Amino acid sequence: MEKDYEKRNIEILDELKKDLDGVKTSNDLVLVKAKYLGKEGIVTLLSKKMKDIEPEKRGSIGKIINDIRTNVTTLIEEKDNYIKEELLKKKLNDEKIDITLPSKKLRRGSMHPFNRITEEIEDLFVSMGYDVLSGPELETDEYCFQRLNIPLGHPVRDTQDSFYVDVDHLLRTQTSSVQARCMEANVEKSPIRMICPGKTYRRDDDATHSHQFGQFEGLVIDKDVTLANLKGTLEVMAKTLLGEKTKVRFRPSFFPFTEPSVEVDVSCFKCGGKGCSLCKNTGWIELLGAGMVHPNVLRSNGYDPEKYKGFAFGTGIDRLAMMKYNIPDIRLMYTNDIRFLKQFDRKELK
Ligand code: DAH
């Protein structure tokens, strides 16, 4: 009887070895495992038959069946390990990295001309002791106009066609609003020297005007501030941004928040003043508006115009970038065409 079982043991292991030879994947192995160890498997059925064996033989035959089970399990586990190892080897081989191959070229982003010029302006004014401030883009009529000497019904409002959100709130049309906020927050505590670059909005849409554009404003308030200080400051700015040879001239102008007001021109940095298409043959380019802070503005923001004076200036950032980098259409500034933006890689411009 025991002999029969031992013979069976050898037969089963021979058959299993043959089956395992045909196994290529884990899935194949699952089927083989089921054939021997599953519910209806060869080894399982053998064990089930134990109950039919006479009690005195059960011990020795039970041991043989256990040996069969151990041998079968071991062979299957060995095959399982082998398959896993092969799989890992293949994976390592497939994923091998040849570090001697040339790398893919990474495309680096470049600085947007708008940010580029904003940074230049900020660096310059910070070097002269100015703070860089910002203010809300959704502004009240009071800070955008009234505190800047532009009462309700003032005709200058028509030139700044505004996006009103409700009766009192609008998207700011000018960064001049930050002048009022800064003075109010400071009220005669210390001199003010600030610039505030930021977004502004008007109902415009053509090649040189966009519904959203950037402006920056400068404001200096102190006890003895003169028009000559303003001119000196703007000369430094023009030379730094547009070149050492740039000249600056003042023309009388009008802005409600300054008195006197000036329009500031710079000599054409493209033709050097001889006359070209950029300066429309005049030799000069309009750069910004400026002036001495109007006494009404000082007063409505808490300053005594008898004690304090100030100058202010403001202009469009997109316009400056367009002039400096020869950009013909303001819409190029925000349509995100990569071919346009790529030209402003640090390496390619001075
Ligand atoms: N806020 C004016 C504009 O949007 C620009 C400006 C002119 C600002 C003269 C000033 C200034 O501070 O003094 O057109």
Side-chain angles (χ1 to χ4, degrees):
M1 185 105 182
E2 285 90 343
K3 283 265 158 15
D4 290 346
Y5 277 93
E6 259 151 23
K7 206 171 137 229
R8 191 79 191 102
N9 182 9
I10 293 165
E11 281 168 9
I12 290 175
L13 291 181
D14 279 350
E15 192 178 342
L16 175 62
K17 279 178 196 155
K18 263 189 229 134
D19 285 345
L20 288 177
D21 278 347
V23 164
K24 295 276 169 286
T25 66
S26 302
N27 277 351
D28 297 344
L29 190 63
V30 169
L31 295 180
V32 172
K33 196 172 174 184
K35 177 175 168 188
Y36 292 86
L37 301 171
K39 251 192 201 160
E40 301 291 319
I42 294 170
V43 181
T44 318
L45 292 181
L46 266 186
S47 306
K48 276 187 187 160
K49 277 199 205 135
M50 280 286 287
K51 64 178 181 326
D52 306 329
I53 291 168
E54 309 124 51
E56 58 274 16
K57 301 238 160 159
R58 264 185 212 159
S60 51
I61 290 180
K63 193 177 162 296
I64 297 173
I65 293 178
N66 268 345
D67 286 350
I68 298 178
R69 177 179 296 282
T70 313
N71 289 337
V72 166
T73 312
T74 313
L75 282 177
I76 290 177
E77 269 172 12
E78 277 172 5
K79 185 75 184 188
D80 191 31
N81 288 340
Y82 174 79
I83 290 175
K84 282 183 185 145
E85 258 171 45
E86 285 301 298
L87 211 69
L88 183 67
K89 265 194 226 157
K90 186 174 170 335
K91 212 171 157 201
L92 287 176
N93 205 37
D94 289 351
E95 291 175 8
K96 202 157 70 185
I97 296 170
D98 181 353
I99 55 165
T100 63
L101 285 175
S103 65
K104 275 191 205 139
K105 212 174 171 196
L106 279 185
R107 205 196 271 165
R108 270 197 331 158
S110 54
M111 193 97 161
H112 194 286
F114 185 92
N115 294 341
R116 209 184 162 96
I117 201 142
T118 306
E119 264 190 18
E120 273 180 54
I121 294 164
E122 286 178 2
D123 284 353
L124 167 66
F125 280 96
V126 166
S127 79
M128 298 199 285
Y130 284 58
D131 292 323
V132 179
L133 302 184
S134 60
E137 285 170 35
L138 183 63
E139 196 41 287
T140 60
D141 189 277
E142 180 187 348
Y143 286 92
C144 197
F145 294 130
Q146 294 168 39
R147 281 171 176 257
L148 294 163
N149 201 27
I150 310 175
L152 288 166
H154 193 289
V156 84
R157 287 173 181 245
D158 295 345
T159 64
Q160 300 194 3
D161 217 351
S162 325
F163 289 110
Y164 273 89
V165 175
D166 60 33
V167 196
D168 292 320
H169 295 86
L170 71 156
L171 292 175
R172 66 179 178 193
T173 54
Q174 49 184 2
T175 43
S176 307
S177 55
V178 187
Q179 284 192 30
R181 292 203 170 265
C182 167
M183 278 189 249
E184 183 193 51
N186 198 61
V187 179
E188 297 196 359
K189 276 198 292 248
S190 57
I192 292 177
R193 244 181 263 120
M194 71 91 172
I195 57 158
C196 53
K199 294 192 188 101
T200 42
Y201 303 84
R202 290 184 199 177
R203 292 159 64 118
D204 282 328
D205 183 19
D206 61 41
T208 50
H209 297 87
S210 159
H211 59 285
Q212 183 205 295
F213 54 104
Q215 277 198 343
F216 80 96
E217 194 84 10
L219 176 71
V220 168
I221 303 226
D222 207 339
K223 293 206 164 121
D224 298 300
V225 180
T226 67
L227 203 62
N229 297 144
L230 171 65
K231 193 162 188 200
T233 307
L234 295 180
E235 266 168 3
V236 172
M237 174 179 138
K239 285 184 197 303
T240 311
L241 292 183
L242 304 172
E244 240 343 275
K245 292 201 184 108
T246 313
K247 288 197 264 324
V248 171
R249 79 174 181 192
F250 278 6
R251 272 183 296 120
S253 185
F254 171 79
F255 296 103
F257 26 84
T258 41
E259 181 58 37
S261 299
V262 290
E263 200 72 60
V264 181
D265 297 337
V266 285
S267 54
C268 181
F269 50 90
K270 200 169 166 197
C271 64
K274 280 188 230 102
C276 69
S277 60
L278 182 66
C279 61
K280 299 191 189 85
N281 284 322
T282 62
W284 294 92
I285 296 173
E286 218 177 277
L287 184 69
L288 43 74
M292 299 305 290
V293 179
H294 196 292
N296 286 352
V297 174
L298 287 167
R299 218 174 280 119
S300 47
N301 294 297
Y303 279 76
D304 179 354
E306 296 298 322
K307 286 200 268 173
Y308 286 89
K309 301 268 172 290
F311 66 70
F313 52 90
T315 192
I317 299 176
D318 308 72
R319 223 177 71 82
L320 265 179
M322 286 166 75
M323 273 179 1
K324 180 160 175 173
Y325 302 126
N326 208 1
I327 299 166
D329 191 323
I330 193 167
R331 287 167 288 208
L332 283 167
M333 300 285 276
Y334 58 85
T335 36
N336 287 336
D337 185 330
I338 211 122
R339 292 164 303 177
F340 166 73
L341 295 171
K342 248 170 54 184
Q343 304 172 79
F344 299 94
D345 199 318
R346 274 192 193 286
K347 277 184 296 187
E348 284 166 35
L349 290 170
K350 67 164 167 52

